[in-house]
Amino acid sequence: MALINENYLKLPGSYLFAEIARRVATFKEAHPKADIIRLGIGDVTQPLPPASIEAMHKAVDDMASAETFRGYGPEQGYAFLIGKIIDHNYTQRGIKIAPDEIFVSDGSKSDCGNIQEIFGTANVVAITDPVYPVYLDTNVMAGRTGSLQTDGHFAGVVYLPCNAENDFAPSLPAEHVDMIYLCCPNNPTGTTLSRSELEKWVHYARENDAVILFDAAYAAYITEPDVPRSIYEIDGARDVAIEFRSFSKTAGFTGTRCGYTVIPKTVFGKAADGSRHSLNAFWNRRHTTKFNGTAYIVQRGAEAIYSTAGQQQIKKTIAYYMENARIIREGLGAVGITAFGGINAPYIWLKTPNGMPSWDFFDKLLTEINIVGTPGAGFGPCGEGYFRLTSFGNREDTLRAVERFKTLKI
Ligand code: MLT
């Protein structure tokens, strides 16, 4: 019989959002008439930008004729999309990124999860607590951690607590770490790191030969001018940081799937013999071996968000979600619930009333007012006592949810 990867045995039974879906399905079965409002998983509700729809229709037509048909594309992505990404997200912000430093993919969840494959298993990983579970779970699967301890932490991982007391800004680790996952704007807390906080991390990475894995999937939601949109706005980051970006939340591609990873050729790792190797070359090797490129039709849809019309359309949708965020934040405040985030991110991170355990609060919301959110404990032990709501619902549901909070017995 084939042996299994026993690292999987270290993981809790199911992925956070699968567990939530299971609990909601059980509730729905018992209460088929319940009018459930889903503010749990961060999935968008508004349709794709019309510019993308138009471009994808045209791309479908391209596939219908031998002259314009496309088979396998470049694994790293088509030049037409990479050029637009560089121009809009980097050159216009004074950042130099070369076309062969961008790798288009089927979304940044895959990239954030897969990137650890190019690193040695002896590396020490630092993650914030709470954290987007993909970073941690994929390192557990790879054997880069020990087992789950009674305090909810995996042995061998360096956890960086983020809570209201430290303004959700992690402190530098006391011990040496090799791989540092940062997510800004943050999922789940909806908060951001200032330029000086990011400078601190880039400085640490440079001093300690560490690599920052910077998830900027929510960059398009930043409203405050002084919050960096990219880690590469920080001097020296080009030598130590890999950045992940996504079209999912930027342009409604959660079901369409497109994202990209930026790996400057100046980011290096070392072999046991001390020789230095470009992580760009390693990722290129992995990408070309394991991936055959994002669909041409999808890349045309992604390209279209950079047209004038596309930019207006995505900005309008993002403003719609951010108005939802304002409604939720203020609605929670009005019933005496303390909430964070929701200014530069589509997530609201609230303190559970009276310090209620977050899974208990999940059950309370589901059963009393039929609202689904995400328990903070699902993102790590420091998420206990917190709870996440998303602003990705439609306006009507968002307003109805806020009304229901007024009836919650707390
Ligand atoms: C979330 O709810 O945290 C996100 O939807 C997860 C993701 O983007 O994969």
Side-chain angles (χ1 to χ4, degrees):
M1 188 177 283
L3 294 172
I4 54 164
N5 174 352
E6 293 196 22
N7 293 311
Y8 278 64
L9 298 174
K10 298 175 191 163
L11 289 165
S14 52
Y15 182 62
L16 172 61
F17 293 106
E19 173 61 17
I20 289 173
R22 190 192 64 74
R23 290 189 187 212
V24 175
T26 307
F27 179 80
K28 187 78 187 159
E29 213 174 287
H31 306 88
K33 294 215 172 91
D35 174 18
I36 296 174
I37 299 178
R38 292 168 197 269
L39 303 179
I41 189 162
D43 196 5
V44 296
T45 52
Q46 300 306 296
L48 290 174
S52 296
I53 294 292
E54 197 183 316
M56 286 197 283
H57 277 300
K58 187 172 169 309
V60 170
D61 289 341
D62 288 346
M63 299 304 248
S65 128
E67 288 73 50
T68 48
F69 171 78
R70 311 280 181 128
Y72 292 129
E75 293 93 340
Q76 301 85 347
Y78 282 103
F80 62 74
L81 176 56
I82 290 176
K84 297 275 170 39
I85 289 171
I86 292 178
D87 184 32
H88 281 257
N89 294 335
Y90 297 105
T91 312
Q92 287 184 19
R93 301 193 73 81
I95 299 164
K96 279 206 181 101
I97 297 291
D100 58 358
E101 294 177 326
I102 302 260
F103 298 86
V104 176
S105 71
D106 63 350
S108 73
K109 179 176 179 179
S110 318
D111 290 352
C112 289
N114 291 327
I115 195 74
Q116 47 76 28
E117 275 186 34
I118 63 170
F119 292 92
T121 47
N123 281 335
V124 178
V125 173
I127 54 160
T128 59
D129 178 9
V131 74
Y132 178 43
V134 172
Y135 318 145
L136 177 63
D137 289 6
T138 53
N139 277 291
V140 175
M141 290 169 177
R144 216 168 271 110
T145 75
S147 16
L148 188 58
Q149 311 292 291
T150 48
D151 65 358
H153 286 150
F154 281 90
V157 174
V158 174
Y159 287 82
L160 310 167
C162 291
N163 46 38
E165 288 66 45
N166 64 8
D167 226 2
F168 302 99
S171 298
L172 294 175
E175 58 277 83
H176 173 84
V177 302
D178 304 293
M179 296 159 62
I180 303 156
Y181 288 85
L182 294 177
C183 178
C184 180
N186 190 260
N187 177 14
T189 65
T191 55
T192 50
L193 295 174
S194 65
R195 190 170 295 276
S196 62
E197 287 292 332
L198 288 178
E199 280 167 359
K200 182 180 89 178
W201 282 101
V202 168
H203 181 73
Y204 174 92
R206 293 179 68 87
E207 290 291 300
N208 291 275
D209 253 339
V211 174
I212 296 174
L213 302 160
F214 190 75
D215 186 352
Y218 300 92
Y221 286 81
I222 298 172
T223 56
E224 294 177 322
D226 53 335
V227 179
R229 268 62 174 170
S230 162
I231 188 78
Y232 305 118
E233 288 183 34
I234 309 299
D235 274 351
R238 261 194 69 88
D239 299 332
V240 291
I242 292 175
E243 180 162 287
F244 305 97
R245 294 276 193 123
S246 169
F247 290 88
S248 288
K249 316 297 160 79
T250 309
F253 275 56
T254 52
T256 308
R257 310 307 306 149
C258 194
Y260 59 94
T261 290
V262 185
I263 312 189
K265 291 191 285 285
T266 40
V267 186
F268 285 85
K270 68 169 192 244
D273 65 4
S275 56
R276 287 160 58 80
H277 299 268
S278 158
L279 295 180
N280 175 293
F282 268 46
W283 186 247
N284 191 49
R285 184 69 172 86
R286 186 213 174 266
H287 209 61
T288 49
T289 304
K290 294 198 174 183
F291 189 62
N292 256 339
T294 303
Y296 168 70
I297 297 163
V298 170
Q299 291 192 61
R300 281 294 186 199
E303 178 198 18
I305 76 158
Y306 298 111
S307 64
T308 308
Q311 285 291 291
Q312 281 165 358
Q313 291 156 6
I314 63 167
K315 283 185 182 142
K316 192 164 158 221
T317 304
I318 289 170
Y320 173 92
Y321 291 135
M322 291 310 285
E323 173 62 6
N324 285 350
R326 187 194 64 76
I327 291 168
I328 297 172
R329 227 182 40 243
E330 291 183 4
L332 292 172
V335 296
I337 295 178
T338 307
F340 307 92
I343 308 274
N344 295 302
Y347 294 121
I348 287 79
W349 187 242
L350 60 94
K351 266 202 150 134
T352 58
N354 312 314
M356 182 182 281
S358 59
W359 277 107
D360 291 358
F361 191 62
F362 172 88
D363 289 335
K364 183 177 169 67
L365 287 192
L366 183 58
T367 53
E368 274 183 30
I369 57 174
N370 299 159
I371 289 178
V372 181
T374 310
F379 296 102
C382 286
E384 187 51 286
Y386 292 91
F387 196 83
R388 195 192 76 175
L389 294 174
T390 95
S391 67
F392 286 126
N394 64 41
R395 179 63 43 77
E396 196 198 338
D397 279 354
T398 303
L399 290 167
R400 288 194 312 132
V402 165
E403 282 307 305
R404 289 187 192 181
F405 264 97
K406 290 183 187 159
T407 68
L408 189 69
K409 294 177 204 71
I410 48 178

